[in-house]
Amino acid sequence: MSQLPDKAPSACGWNALVDYVTLRLLRAYQGPGVQWKSDGSEQINTAAPGDIVFLKGRKFPNWTENLGILHRSPPLSSLSATQRVRLLLTIDTADACMCGAEHALTPIIEQ
């Protein structure tokens, strides 16, 4: 069962989120990169294509709301149709999909 991240709309309508993972790596190979900002801040940062972004999620040890970084996919609707292409690599820690050692499957050995 997957868990949906909590969305955190700001006063200016900037919908962003903090994922329910320990750590997430994001890298845009084509198109705009992820956008992020500190909770409570108005400054929006955008990663350039090729930048590697590490984001702490809600499961990160000692994570707290007041230190959270909100992120979102950049809006593409204002771009021309040819610019609306985006290739994004996302890598989560193994516990994000319950694939860690504590969730390992016992191999079946056929005889």
Side-chain angles (χ1 to χ4, degrees):
M1 177 169 103
S2 63
Q3 295 177 329
L4 296 175
D6 294 332
K7 295 221 174 192
S10 71
C12 64
W14 198 79
N15 288 326
L17 58 95
V18 176
D19 297 299
Y20 194 72
V21 297
T22 304
L23 191 64
R24 174 166 284 171
L25 176 146
L26 297 168
R27 182 177 186 193
Y29 284 91
Q30 184 175 354
V34 66
Q35 293 183 331
W36 77 93
K37 68 176 188 164
S38 299
D39 196 9
S41 171
E42 295 303 315
Q43 180 179 348
I44 298 172
N45 304 288
T46 302
D51 285 353
I52 297 173
V53 178
F54 285 96
L55 296 168
K56 295 177 185 177
R58 292 184 184 278
K59 292 172 63 178
F60 195 85
N62 302 316
W63 184 88
T64 61
E65 289 282 340
N66 61 340
L67 297 176
I69 299 292
L70 302 173
H71 72 280
R72 70 174 186 183
S73 296
L76 302 177
S77 59
S78 63
L79 301 175
S80 70
T82 58
Q83 294 176 314
R84 291 185 198 164
V85 176
R86 187 167 182 240
L87 177 59
L88 179 72
L89 171 68
T90 301
I91 301 176
D92 294 335
T93 52
D95 62 344
C97 63
M98 296 175 44
C99 299
E102 69 277 11
H103 300 290
L105 298 175
T106 305
I108 299 173
I109 300 172
E110 295 183 28
Q111 299 207 11

